[in-house]
Amino acid sequence: MGSGMTNTPSPKGGDNIDQDQFLTILSREDALARFEAALFPRAVASEKRSLADALGCALAEDVVAPIDVPPFDRSNVDGFAVRSADLASAGEASPVRVMLNDEAIACGTAPTRPVLSGTATPIATGGPVPRGADAVVMVEHTQPAGHRAIDVRRAASPGQFVSYAGSDIARGEALLRAGTIIGSREIGMLAACGIAEVTVAQRSRVAIISTGDELVQPGHSLRPAAIYDTNGAIVTAAITENGGEAKFLGAIADDEAQLESAMREALASSDMLVLSGGTSKGAGDVSHRIIGRLGKPGIIAHGVALKPGKPLCLAVCDGKPVIILPGFPTSAMFTFHDMIVPVLRRMAGLPPRSDAKVNARVPVRIASELGRAEFVMVSLVEGADGLIAYPTGKGSGAITSFAQADGFLRIDALADQMPAGSEAEVTLFTPHVRVPDLVIVGSHCTGLDLVTAPLAHAGLTVRSIAVGSLGGLSAAMRGECDFAPIHLFDEKTETYNTPYLSNGLELVPGWRRMQGIVFRKGDRRFEGLSAEDAVRAALADPACIMVNRNQGAGTRILIDRLLGGARPEGYWNQPRSHNAVAAAVAQHRADWGMTIAPVAHASNLGFIPFAEEHYDFALVTARKQRPAVQAFLDALASDGARAALEQAGFRPA
């Protein structure tokens, strides 16, 4: 034997006899729990990668958008930037004539001239909307009218063909979560925010060794009684599919010294070692005997109450997982996907695999062995009353049974059969896109990302759609979401939110956030004034342009309270987010608006407090017991979320 064995004490008597036979057979759940307990918790190694090199990697940390996308209000069409009020009476029979300013705005060209009443500026798709303009008319709806003038044949509404700053991505929002797999779409989002490199989880280096005297590598001629090594290729591909960096080291004969040398070398240069074959009680199966000499604690489970897959061997050698899969291809692949993939993905920083499930009827009786949980591969066909699942099992050595099946069903260890006609849950091998676990529709707030972060990190998918408070309430009343974030003030009762609830909705207190007037620091029209005095000063200055909020937003209600019946310049400029308001002021497209304190401070703008509003959640009562809803309620009440909200400038309720 090799030198690596000379310093190993020989076993005395029967102390190590259990290394030469199956250990106590464990249930699947016990085996996996022991294996994970021996491996985790452990830090996920990370590294910086450029976007070009990050494809297919998992993010190691959350990515927050550093800028608004788009970073300015931009035109969606080729046409003319206009004031919508100038075109209120325009029509095919009564066109309105406007004079053209002596500049044309192309992509990458910053406007230098404002759009005054009765004027328009030519603008290309993607061009920045100039000061004074609140809409864009398409060139197709205009007609040249002499020197530097056009006739406009259609009226324009405020915001027509304008994408507001931050309407796609708002500065400070969670762009991508840790664990997200980076694909072409994610790279596009990162590039749009100017992010050139990201921190990703290092791929786990996994060495693969096939064992057995009978194995021949594909491409070579078969000798008598030999077979091609199927497992080496399959396992290598499966590791790559699940975020590992696979290195196939070939097939090793059933020679204990040679195999031990190969296993030691593999462990020295890899994070994980996967072998196939050598787990049963045949004279040539020696892999499990070697493991005891490779590091502590050694074998965790040798023999699992699974069918197929009973001979599976799980070990940890000095912190590195060592897995010996059964030699038969179907047994090897089933146990790999069921028992090893969760560990591999966790080591690689990847989210848990999301398996789709469907219900189907089993048309035939399936016999099973008491005491072993059995997984039966099935093919699905469409029946008159739904899906039908036909068993496709051809034995653990059959390759096609795994490749041709659509999914699998489980027979519990305490059952000796699945009767014909049973309804069963089938787990698909090729899952469809996973639907969100939690749906939130209503007013957006950066504080929402702080509360939902633990849910995302726990593997729950959360979809948040910003439509404003009133839009969220409508969605909740139709049962289209779990929560609707709202901040609506009722002047009659002088209370927030509760008066707006209808039957089937209940209020969940969220947090308090300060709304106020935002302006550029140093603007003497606003410095040192109260919110009411600042608005009066703005209304007294015809050159002072405001930026409003969209109808249905709680902020819009506050603005209208301050304005009374006034409609100052910029009133019809109605972006849908706090970030867009701050961007308009910071970029001198407007002089003042209303936003929340954290957004104003992040944009380095002046801020005059006006009212602390209640940002709460209308909960659809019928969905209250859903696990994801309960997880959100727990996260909202947690000390961690409350501390994060306070640090961001909010006051938890």
Side-chain angles (χ1 to χ4, degrees), residues 1-5 8-11 16 19-20 209 211-213 252-265 275 278 282-294:
M1 296 212 175
S3 59
M5 297 176 60
T8 303
S10 300
N16 238 20
Q19 292 291 333
D20 294 324
I209 298 175
T211 64
D213 296 331
I252 307 295
D254 290 324
D255 178 276
E256 192 161 342
Q258 182 183 358
L259 183 56
E260 180 171 351
S261 176
M263 292 172 68
R264 288 185 180 277
E265 290 180 12
L275 300 93
D285 293 334
V286 298
S287 304
H288 66 280
R289 294 203 297 269
I290 297 172
I291 287 178
R293 304 192 289 267
L294 297 182

Coordinates of all heavy atoms in Angstrom, one line a residue, residues 1-5 8-11 16 19-20 209 211-213 252-265 275 278 282-294:
M1 N 0.8 -1.2 0.0 CA 0.0 0.0 0.0 C 0.9 1.2 0.0 O 2.1 1.2 0.3 CB -0.9 0.0 1.2 CG -1.9 -1.2 1.2 SD -3.4 -0.7 2.0 CE -4.4 -2.2 1.7
G2 N 0.3 2.4 -0.4 CA 1.0 3.6 -0.5 C 1.5 4.1 0.9 O 1.1 3.7 1.9
S3 N 2.4 5.1 0.8 CA 3.0 5.6 2.0 C 2.0 6.3 2.9 O 2.2 6.4 4.1 CB 4.1 6.6 1.7 OG 3.6 7.7 0.9
G4 N 0.9 6.8 2.3 CA -0.1 7.5 3.1 C -0.8 6.5 4.1 O -1.4 7.0 5.0
M5 N -0.6 5.2 3.9 CA -1.2 4.2 4.8 C -0.2 3.7 5.9 O -0.7 3.1 6.9 CB -1.7 3.1 4.0 CG -2.8 3.4 3.0 SD -3.3 2.0 2.1 CE -3.9 0.9 3.3
T8 N -0.9 4.8 9.5 CA -2.2 4.6 10.0 C -2.3 3.3 10.9 O -2.0 2.2 10.5 CB -3.2 4.4 8.9 OG1 -3.1 5.6 8.1 CG2 -4.6 4.3 9.4
P9 N -2.7 3.5 12.2 CA -2.8 2.3 13.0 C -3.7 1.3 12.5 O -4.8 1.6 11.9 CB -3.3 2.9 14.4 CG -3.0 4.3 14.3 CD -3.1 4.7 12.9
S10 N -3.4 0.0 12.6 CA -4.3 -1.0 12.2 C -5.4 -1.2 13.1 O -5.3 -1.1 14.3 CB -3.5 -2.4 12.0 OG -2.5 -2.2 11.1
P11 N -6.6 -1.5 12.6 CA -7.8 -1.7 13.5 C -7.5 -2.9 14.4 O -7.0 -3.9 14.0 CB -9.0 -1.9 12.6 CG -8.3 -2.3 11.3 CD -7.0 -1.6 11.2
N16 N -13.3 -1.8 14.0 CA -13.6 -1.0 12.8 C -14.3 -1.9 11.8 O -14.4 -1.6 10.6 CB -12.3 -0.5 12.2 CG -12.3 1.0 12.0 OD1 -13.1 1.7 12.6 ND2 -11.5 1.5 11.1
Q19 N -16.8 -0.6 9.2 CA -16.4 0.0 7.9 C -16.5 -1.0 6.8 O -16.4 -0.6 5.6 CB -14.9 0.5 8.0 CG -14.7 1.7 9.0 CD -15.4 2.9 8.5 OE1 -15.5 3.1 7.3 NE2 -15.8 3.8 9.4
D20 N -16.6 -2.2 7.0 CA -16.7 -3.2 5.9 C -18.1 -3.7 5.7 O -18.3 -4.7 5.0 CB -15.8 -4.4 6.3 CG -14.3 -4.0 6.3 OD1 -13.9 -3.2 5.5 OD2 -13.6 -4.6 7.2
I209 N -14.5 11.0 -9.4 CA -13.8 9.7 -9.7 C -14.8 8.6 -9.9 O -15.7 8.4 -9.0 CB -12.8 9.4 -8.6 CG1 -11.7 10.4 -8.5 CG2 -12.2 8.0 -8.9 CD1 -10.8 10.2 -7.3
T211 N -15.3 4.5 -10.1 CA -14.5 3.3 -9.6 C -15.0 2.0 -10.2 O -16.2 1.9 -10.4 CB -14.5 3.2 -8.1 OG1 -15.9 3.0 -7.6 CG2 -14.0 4.5 -7.4
G212 N -14.2 1.1 -10.4 CA -14.6 -0.2 -10.9 C -13.7 -0.7 -12.0 O -13.3 0.0 -12.9
D213 N -13.3 -2.0 -11.9 CA -12.5 -2.7 -12.9 C -13.2 -2.8 -14.3 O -12.5 -2.9 -15.3 CB -12.1 -4.1 -12.5 CG -11.3 -4.1 -11.2 OD1 -10.5 -3.1 -11.0 OD2 -11.3 -5.1 -10.4
I252 N -10.9 4.7 -11.8 CA -9.8 4.0 -11.0 C -10.3 2.6 -10.8 O -11.4 2.3 -10.4 CB -9.5 4.7 -9.7 CG1 -9.3 6.2 -9.9 CG2 -8.4 4.0 -9.0 CD1 -8.0 6.5 -10.7
A253 N -9.4 1.7 -11.0 CA -9.7 0.3 -10.8 C -9.8 0.0 -9.3 O -9.5 0.8 -8.4 CB -8.6 -0.6 -11.4
D254 N -10.4 -1.2 -9.0 CA -10.6 -1.6 -7.6 C -9.3 -2.0 -6.9 O -9.2 -3.1 -6.4 CB -11.7 -2.7 -7.5 CG -13.1 -2.2 -7.9 OD1 -13.4 -1.0 -7.5 OD2 -13.8 -2.9 -8.5
D255 N -8.4 -1.1 -6.9 CA -7.1 -1.3 -6.2 C -7.0 -0.3 -5.0 O -7.0 0.9 -5.3 CB -5.9 -1.1 -7.1 CG -4.6 -1.3 -6.5 OD1 -4.1 -0.3 -5.9 OD2 -4.1 -2.4 -6.5
E256 N -7.0 -0.8 -3.8 CA -7.1 0.1 -2.7 C -6.1 1.1 -2.6 O -6.3 2.3 -2.3 CB -7.2 -0.8 -1.4 CG -7.6 0.0 -0.2 CD -8.1 -0.9 1.0 OE1 -8.4 -2.1 0.7 OE2 -8.2 -0.4 2.1
A257 N -4.8 0.7 -2.8 CA -3.7 1.7 -2.7 C -3.8 2.8 -3.8 O -3.6 4.0 -3.5 CB -2.4 1.0 -2.8
Q258 N -4.1 2.3 -5.0 CA -4.2 3.3 -6.1 C -5.4 4.2 -5.9 O -5.3 5.4 -6.1 CB -4.4 2.5 -7.4 CG -4.5 3.4 -8.7 CD -4.7 2.6 -9.9 OE1 -4.8 1.4 -9.9 NE2 -4.8 3.3 -11.1
L259 N -6.5 3.7 -5.4 CA -7.7 4.5 -5.2 C -7.5 5.5 -4.1 O -7.9 6.7 -4.1 CB -8.9 3.6 -4.9 CG -10.3 4.4 -4.7 CD1 -10.6 5.2 -6.0 CD2 -11.4 3.4 -4.5
E260 N -6.8 5.1 -3.0 CA -6.6 6.0 -1.9 C -5.7 7.1 -2.3 O -5.9 8.3 -1.9 CB -5.9 5.2 -0.7 CG -5.7 6.2 0.5 CD -5.2 5.4 1.7 OE1 -5.3 4.2 1.8 OE2 -4.8 6.1 2.7
S261 N -4.7 6.8 -3.1 CA -3.8 7.9 -3.6 C -4.5 8.9 -4.4 O -4.4 10.1 -4.3 CB -2.6 7.3 -4.4 OG -1.8 8.3 -5.0
A262 N -5.4 8.4 -5.3 CA -6.2 9.3 -6.1 C -7.2 10.1 -5.3 O -7.4 11.3 -5.6 CB -7.0 8.5 -7.2
M263 N -7.8 9.5 -4.3 CA -8.7 10.3 -3.4 C -8.0 11.3 -2.6 O -8.5 12.5 -2.4 CB -9.4 9.3 -2.5 CG -10.4 8.4 -3.2 SD -11.1 7.1 -2.2 CE -12.2 8.0 -1.1
R264 N -6.8 11.0 -2.1 CA -6.0 12.0 -1.4 C -5.6 13.2 -2.2 O -5.7 14.4 -1.8 CB -4.8 11.4 -0.7 CG -5.1 10.5 0.4 CD -3.8 10.0 1.1 NE -4.1 9.1 2.2 CZ -4.4 9.5 3.4 NH1 -4.4 10.8 3.7 NH2 -4.6 8.6 4.4
E265 N -5.2 12.9 -3.4 CA -4.8 14.0 -4.4 C -6.0 14.9 -4.7 O -5.9 16.1 -4.8 CB -4.2 13.4 -5.6 CG -2.8 12.8 -5.4 CD -2.2 12.3 -6.7 OE1 -2.8 12.5 -7.8 OE2 -1.2 11.5 -6.6
L275 N -17.5 10.2 -5.7 CA -17.2 8.9 -6.4 C -18.5 8.2 -6.7 O -19.5 8.4 -6.1 CB -16.3 8.0 -5.5 CG -14.9 8.6 -5.0 CD1 -15.1 9.3 -3.7 CD2 -13.9 7.5 -5.0
G278 N -18.5 1.3 -5.4 CA -17.6 1.1 -4.3 C -18.4 1.3 -2.9 O -17.7 1.5 -1.9
G282 N -19.6 -5.9 -2.0 CA -18.8 -6.7 -2.8 C -17.3 -6.6 -2.5 O -16.8 -5.6 -1.9
A283 N -16.5 -7.6 -2.9 CA -15.1 -7.7 -2.5 C -14.4 -6.5 -3.2 O -13.3 -6.1 -2.7 CB -14.5 -9.0 -3.0
G284 N -14.8 -6.0 -4.3 CA -14.1 -5.0 -5.0 C -14.5 -3.6 -4.5 O -13.9 -2.6 -5.0
D285 N -15.5 -3.5 -3.7 CA -16.0 -2.1 -3.2 C -15.2 -1.7 -2.0 O -15.4 -2.1 -0.9 CB -17.5 -2.2 -2.9 CG -18.3 -2.5 -4.1 OD1 -17.9 -2.1 -5.2 OD2 -19.4 -3.0 -4.0
V286 N -14.2 -0.9 -2.3 CA -13.2 -0.5 -1.3 C -13.3 1.0 -0.9 O -12.6 1.4 0.1 CB -11.8 -0.9 -1.7 CG1 -11.6 -2.4 -2.0 CG2 -11.4 -0.1 -3.0
S287 N -14.0 1.8 -1.6 CA -14.0 3.2 -1.4 C -14.3 3.6 0.1 O -13.6 4.4 0.7 CB -15.0 3.9 -2.3 OG -14.7 3.6 -3.7
H288 N -15.4 3.0 0.6 CA -15.8 3.4 1.9 C -14.8 3.0 3.0 O -14.7 3.6 4.1 CB -17.2 2.8 2.3 CG -17.1 1.3 2.4 ND1 -17.2 0.4 1.3 CD2 -17.1 0.5 3.5 CE1 -17.1 -0.8 1.7 NE2 -17.1 -0.8 3.0
R289 N -14.0 2.0 2.7 CA -12.9 1.6 3.7 C -11.8 2.6 3.8 O -11.2 2.8 4.8 CB -12.4 0.2 3.4 CG -13.4 -0.9 3.5 CD -12.7 -2.2 3.6 NE -11.8 -2.6 2.5 CZ -12.2 -3.3 1.5 NH1 -13.5 -3.7 1.4 NH2 -11.4 -3.6 0.5
I290 N -11.6 3.3 2.7 CA -10.5 4.3 2.6 C -10.9 5.6 3.4 O -10.0 6.2 4.0 CB -10.2 4.6 1.2 CG1 -9.7 3.4 0.5 CG2 -9.2 5.8 1.1 CD1 -9.5 3.5 -1.0
I291 N -12.2 5.9 3.4 CA -12.6 7.2 3.9 C -12.2 7.4 5.4 O -11.8 8.5 5.8 CB -14.2 7.3 3.8 CG1 -14.5 7.6 2.3 CG2 -14.7 8.5 4.7 CD1 -16.0 7.7 2.1
G292 N -12.2 6.3 6.2 CA -11.8 6.5 7.6 C -10.4 6.9 7.8 O -10.1 7.4 8.9
R293 N -9.6 6.8 6.7 CA -8.2 7.3 6.8 C -7.9 8.6 6.2 O -6.8 9.1 6.2 CB -7.3 6.2 6.1 CG -7.5 4.8 6.6 CD -6.4 3.9 6.1 NE -6.5 3.6 4.7 CZ -7.2 2.5 4.2 NH1 -7.8 1.7 5.0 NH2 -7.2 2.3 2.9
L294 N -9.0 9.3 5.7 CA -8.8 10.6 5.0 C -9.0 11.8 5.9 O -8.7 12.9 5.5 CB -9.7 10.6 3.8 CG -9.4 9.5 2.7 CD1 -10.4 9.7 1.5 CD2 -8.0 9.6 2.2

